[in-house]
Amino acid sequence: VQLQASGGGLVQAGGSLRLSCAASGFTFVSYAMGWFRQAPGREREFVAAIDWSGGATYYAETVKGRFTISRDNARNTVNLQMNSLEPLDTAAYFCAKRRGSAIRTTDYDHWGQGTLVTVSS
């Protein structure tokens, strides 16, 4: 299993970024996917999840209404559109593969290397 995240960078507060994660080494369409983040000195936290079909999504309260998760099963990619970014969104963002096909905030078994998002005030 390989998960390669990209799209991070430096953005001003109020700006937008789009993260992408390219997946390989497993049957992508069979699994739910998620995004997590970890800020310096803090524990990793759940951000968003999407089920195998893309028909169901779930968000952490802190990002609901600002972030949108999506997937392209033909291209084996999962994306995170981040709008109205705030300095508290600054973190390394990781995509992850869940053990099953349904949405959950836990039980993820493979993680990408992370892409850094920095939001300046």
Side-chain angles (χ1 to χ4, degrees):
V1 174
Q2 288 194 327
L3 300 169
Q4 183 72 37
S6 62
L10 173 64
V11 63
Q12 288 188 329
S16 298
L17 281 175
R18 182 177 176 84
L19 306 183
S20 292
C21 177
S24 62
F26 64 102
T27 304
F28 183 73
V29 71
S30 295
Y31 297 93
M33 299 293 293
W35 285 95
F36 292 74
R37 67 187 181 185
Q38 186 167 17
R42 302 188 64 177
E43 293 188 354
R44 185 172 59 196
E45 64 175 358
F46 168 81
V47 174
I50 189 166
D51 77 341
W52 69 275
S53 70
T57 57
Y58 184 75
Y59 299 91
E61 286 297 323
T62 52
V63 307
K64 192 178 295 183
R66 300 186 298 123
F67 291 11
T68 302
I69 189 172
S70 62
R71 67 189 294 160
D72 184 340
N73 285 341
R75 298 185 177 184
N76 287 9
T77 58
V78 57
N79 306 300
L80 186 68
Q81 178 66 42
M82 307 186 295
N83 298 330
S84 301
L85 283 161
E86 304 167 355
L88 284 177
D89 295 317
T90 294
Y93 283 72
F94 302 85
C95 63
K97 168 192 165 293
R98 194 172 173 273
R99 293 185 193 276
S101 60
I103 286 182
R104 297 289 188 276
T105 62
T106 60
D107 208 14
Y108 288 77
D109 58 359
H110 288 89
W111 302 81
Q113 86 291 356
T115 186
L116 184 61
V117 172
T118 303
V119 184
S120 64
S121 58

